[in-house]
Amino acid sequence: MNSWRIAAGRKGRFIKEFIDGGFVSIGWHPLGDLTAYRTREEMLDRARIEYPSWTQRKLEVAVNQAWRFVHGIQIGDHIACYDPSERIYNLGRIKGDAEYESGPREEELEVKRSVEWQRIVSRDRLSAPTRNSLGAIQTLIRIPEHAAAELFGVVPAVQVEFVDPLPTEDAVDESDPYAELLEKSVQRVQDILLGLDPYEMQDLIAALLRALGYRTLISPAGADRGKDIVASRDGFGFERPRIVVEVKHRGGRISAPDIRSFIGGRHADDRCLYVSTGGFSQEARYEAERANTVTHLMDLDGLARAVIEQYDNFDDEGRALVPLRKLYWPSLDQ
């Protein structure tokens, strides 16, 4: 029995479909029905035709993952799927063989395998080695034994290895090795952010706004009258645009009524930023989209990426809250 981690699309955008529908899925629309290929080499030949500019290594890594999903995963295998908005791994068992569905569905959902979802595990409860081993950017990876034992609570047993003449699912596309490093960096920064207390998180958001060229006023502890931070170019809120910020840290998802309450007292020309490390409900996102006041919602993933992107412009106070070290990487453009 093997254990696998599969991504629910970019940033987990299909996680709700996976859990509610009781399945996991991949898709590779230009290659059509992935279950119809008789050999891996046949799939590889088709991929070469569809992607003539790809390197041999990149083709092999992509084909290897597709082939494993269809033929490598066995009924009864463990499966883990990460929900980045909730920071939880959904755990279950594979119940069926791969089946192809054509039609108007998203292309990433064309090939499915049914799953019996059983329980969830918080990423924050996992050890650092396990978190690191699950952080690869590939769509499908086989989970190492030590991580599988921690996730699924199963003592590792002697396994029958899946014979694989192509690169393993853990192989990184050599054309962009930086992407793997960046995604792991984002996850580790998220871990640091969750370790901040609510007041430190408020100070961090103010530091991020200062890195963007604004001056900030932070509300004192206690009732904030619907705002934690006001940012503007002049530092007093007289010069437009004025950014009004609400910060909610380490709670549950923010709901639509929370968003309505936040934007209800704003001026028409205010710009609103709501930061929630617990994420937002879909209804809350709809509420922000149709608001008369320009409103941006920032979850934990968005915050971590913004911190990394703007870190060079952080002042000492911001860097003290999230200490990072710059890594220089050879340019691929030369």
Side-chain angles (χ1 to χ4, degrees), residues 28-287:
W28 199 352
H29 191 63
L31 269 66
D33 182 0
L34 299 178
T35 67
Y37 292 93
R38 293 167 296 178
T39 65
R40 194 180 338 219
E41 288 67 31
E42 182 181 334
M43 187 184 293
L44 187 59
D45 290 341
R46 175 65 181 278
R48 287 194 187 98
I49 295 172
E50 296 292 338
Y51 301 93
S53 64
W54 283 16
T55 66
Q56 179 68 15
R57 180 60 173 262
K58 184 172 183 177
L59 288 166
E60 288 178 347
V61 169
V63 167
N64 194 45
Q65 290 185 75
W67 186 264
R68 279 178 178 271
F69 183 84
V70 176
H71 300 285
I73 297 177
Q74 303 298 310
I75 295 175
D77 279 358
H78 292 117
I79 193 79
C81 191
Y82 185 55
D83 182 349
S85 66
E86 298 283 353
R87 287 178 63 82
I88 59 173
Y89 284 94
N90 295 274
L91 308 180
R93 285 184 180 272
I94 297 293
K95 292 174 55 182
D97 293 323
E99 298 181 354
Y100 175 71
E101 289 186 11
S102 60
R105 297 286 296 168
E106 293 274 2
E107 293 178 0
E108 293 93 330
L109 303 180
E110 288 181 333
V111 183
K112 296 181 178 179
R113 301 195 65 146
S114 60
V115 174
E116 179 186 359
W117 297 111
Q118 298 173 327
R119 63 191 182 92
I120 61 174
V121 172
S122 170
R123 172 179 164 82
D124 302 322
R125 296 177 63 89
L126 300 176
S127 65
T130 294
R131 292 200 304 266
N132 294 339
S133 67
L134 295 170
I137 63 172
Q138 281 76 31
T139 299
L140 178 68
I141 63 170
R142 187 163 51 192
I143 301 174
E145 285 190 353
H146 71 87
E150 185 174 354
L151 268 176
F152 298 98
V154 176
V155 177
V158 176
Q159 298 182 347
V160 178
E161 287 295 321
F162 179 66
V163 179
D164 189 357
L166 293 180
T168 68
E169 74 280 356
D170 300 318
V172 178
D173 173 15
E174 63 180 6
S175 66
D176 189 14
Y178 175 74
E180 176 88 8
L181 185 62
L182 175 60
E183 290 306 309
K184 288 189 175 182
S185 297
V186 169
Q187 292 183 8
R188 293 193 183 191
V189 170
Q190 290 178 8
D191 294 338
I192 294 174
L193 296 179
L194 286 177
L196 301 178
D197 67 35
Y199 294 110
E200 289 173 329
M201 178 59 69
Q202 187 172 281
D203 290 340
L204 177 68
I205 303 303
L208 175 59
L209 289 165
R210 292 195 298 273
L212 291 167
Y214 294 93
R215 297 182 179 182
T216 58
L217 290 173
I218 302 177
S219 299
D224 56 20
R225 299 183 182 179
K227 61 182 183 298
D228 292 313
I229 304 167
V230 174
S232 61
R233 298 297 183 186
D234 60 13
F236 296 101
F238 300 134
E239 184 179 342
R240 302 302 180 191
R242 185 180 79 153
I243 300 175
V244 182
V245 187
E246 180 77 3
V247 181
K248 297 298 182 185
H249 183 38
R250 295 190 297 199
R253 284 189 175 187
I254 297 301
S255 65
D258 295 320
I259 299 300
R260 286 196 295 271
S261 176
F262 171 54
I263 64 180
R266 307 280 72 84
H267 298 293
D269 55 353
D270 281 346
R271 301 294 182 261
C272 299
L273 173 62
Y274 204 120
V275 181
S276 169
T277 56
F280 300 89
S281 69
Q282 192 60 53
E283 292 73 19
R285 295 187 182 278
Y286 292 149
E287 193 70 32

